Amino acid sequence: MQTGDADVARLVHPEQGQGSRVIILVLGLCALISVISVILAAVALSRPSVPNITVNGGSRQDSSGTGTTSGGNAGNVPTTGGKSVWSVAVGHDFGIHEYINTTGYVAGFHLDLISAVCAAASANCYPIWEPYTNCWDSEVGQHSHGGQGLLDRWYDACIGWSQTVTRLQIFSFSKPFAKNTPSYLYYKKGMTVNENDISNKVIGIIDGWSTDEKCLARQTITGSSNVTVKLASTATVLYNMIQNGQVDAGWARVEALTEFVNALTQSSNAYYCSVAGISVMTRKDSAFNAVWNMGFDKIVASGKFKQLCTDANSKHDAAKRGALQCVNT
């Protein structure tokens, strides 16, 4: 019996020792978890109760306490050498402002202005060639609306957009850099027309421009019943529609068809669709206009803006594309 008891003791004792070690290990893990919890709680308490969020290069506070996220390519703006990086959409068919040069690149006053303003603001900006409708879009029978590219943060801003009542309710604008110019009805040269009566006529408009269907309807044209509207993607397309007889007249800002004015008859009556001149257009949550206005004020004060405007008329062939009409500074 003693030998059996000893054998039993030898079998039981190691298990009892192992159990003690397990208990000690569990207690140690519990202590470690407690320490980590205390550290995490301390870190959480040390953070501000309202998170700081960077939106397009500018810092703002989210008062909800939940924070927000920004989607798209322009949401979290990187920096290069301490300068914020901003993307600006430009078009290609806007007279002296934007055109495609003989080498196939987009050129014009807007490119010169972006370079000068952003350099003065110590901001790194780069242009992106985009269809105009991605900044602002029109639909026949509907109100014009913000373009998908700007609303969805494909870029930070669109340059070359006049301030209209509708646009001001959706987007923000920089200080104007070019004047608020009038719009006209344009007809094929040699046509007999009554510009005070467009009833039963087909009128062409450029998609996305301030001279949209609603602005045409607001004008005090004596006869304007049963008007049909057709959209043109660019000013050049509108010109071709007029020449080919696809429309009876075109409805456009003076800058749009300057290049073709000798082949067209311009109405004697002038109309306005904008409340302020040509500017930079951004989302309302963007800080870019503050950056732009700072740089713009600097080049105005230094005289560089006036020189840019003067140089643009020769550099970008004002005789062909129309003279630049900068704001008075």
Side-chain angles (χ1 to χ4, degrees), residues 15-31:
E15 293 181 359
Q16 290 177 336
Q18 185 178 5
S20 299
R21 287 194 295 271
V22 170
I23 293 172
I24 293 171
L25 179 60
V26 170
L27 291 174
L29 288 173
C30 291

Side-chain angles (χ1 to χ4, degrees), residues 136 162-171 173 210 212 218 272-276 284:
W136 189 262
S162 61
Q163 301 180 32
T164 69
V165 172
T166 304
R167 290 173 183 169
L168 285 166
Q169 296 177 71
I170 300 171
F171 292 127
F173 290 83
S210 59
D212 61 11
R218 289 196 297 269
Y272 284 87
C273 292
S274 304
V275 297
K284 288 185 178 292

Side-chain angles (χ1 to χ4, degrees), residues 230-242:
K230 284 190 175 181
L231 290 179
S233 58
T234 67
T236 301
V237 171
L238 177 59
Y239 168 73
N240 290 331
M241 289 170 67
I242 297 171

Side-chain angles (χ1 to χ4, degrees), residues 253-305:
R253 283 175 66 105
V254 64
E255 303 100 323
L257 296 175
T258 298
E259 189 173 345
F260 313 106
V261 72
N262 292 330
L264 299 170
T265 297
Q266 178 181 288
S267 65
S268 57
N269 295 326
Y271 308 93
Y272 284 87
C273 292
S274 304
V275 297
I278 299 172
S279 313
V280 172
M281 184 169 70
T282 70
R283 294 179 308 280
K284 288 185 178 292
D285 66 350
S286 174
F288 182 64
N289 277 334
V291 174
W292 177 274
N293 287 338
M294 177 179 66
F296 181 71
D297 288 344
K298 286 183 178 180
I299 66 170
V300 167
S302 69
K304 185 173 180 62
F305 175 68

Side-chain angles (χ1 to χ4, degrees), residues 95-99 107-114 159 177-178 305 308-310 312 316 324 326:
I96 199 169
H97 296 272
E98 302 166 346
Y99 61 92
F109 176 69
H110 287 167
L111 280 296
D112 302 337
L113 188 62
I114 290 171
I159 190 171
F177 55 80
F305 175 68
L308 280 173
C309 293
T310 300
H316 301 296
L324 185 63
C326 290

Side-chain angles (χ1 to χ4, degrees), residues 10 29 120 141 205 227 241 250 263 319:
R10 281 194 297 269
L29 288 173
I205 64 174
V227 174
M241 289 170 67

Side-chain angles (χ1 to χ4, degrees), residues 110-143:
H110 287 167
L111 280 296
D112 302 337
L113 188 62
I114 290 171
S115 178
V117 168
C118 290
S122 296
N124 188 2
C125 305
Y126 59 95
I128 296 177
W129 179 17
E130 276 283 281
Y132 292 111
T133 52
N134 283 340
C135 290
W136 189 262
D137 200 4
S138 302
E139 292 181 43
V140 175
Q142 303 294 325
H143 287 283

